[in-house]
Amino acid sequence: WTAWLAELGGSPPAFIDQSFYRVTGKGQALTLTGASIVTGAQETQVRLNGGTLGAHYTVTNRIVASTGDEDERSFKVLIRQG
């Protein structure tokens, strides 16, 4: 989020005001815990738990910046045995 927030500009600089995570996919639920805004309100983090072996999930993070602008980013997760 750091580069996107910098593009928004502003004085003071834009920061993450709200962050919402969601997960989609088939199989046993992949759970999200400990979602938080970190690093001077420029980044977010979440812990993933569970899931079904071999299942694919998409984790999406939607944020609202201090400017009121909104954006969302997603990443894919494949559950494999370690």
Side-chain angles (χ1 to χ4, degrees):
W1 299 113
T2 306
W4 180 77
L5 290 166
E7 290 175 10
L8 296 177
S11 181
F15 59 89
I16 299 171
D17 187 48
Q18 299 174 50
S19 173
F20 308 93
Y21 277 93
R22 71 178 183 273
V23 62
T24 56
K26 296 180 180 178
Q28 184 179 5
L30 179 68
T31 59
L32 308 173
T33 59
S36 61
I37 300 170
V38 297
T39 315
Q42 299 290 305
E43 298 177 3
T44 65
Q45 66 182 17
V46 68
R47 179 177 295 253
L48 308 175
N49 295 299
T52 300
L53 189 62
H56 294 262
Y57 299 91
T58 300
V59 178
T60 302
N61 182 211
R62 182 175 66 84
I63 66 124
V64 179
S66 56
T67 58
D69 293 280
E70 297 183 25
D71 195 17
E72 69 177 35
R73 311 278 169 91
S74 299
F75 61 92
K76 306 280 186 181
V77 176
L78 167 62
I79 306 299
R80 295 177 20 180
Q81 190 167 8

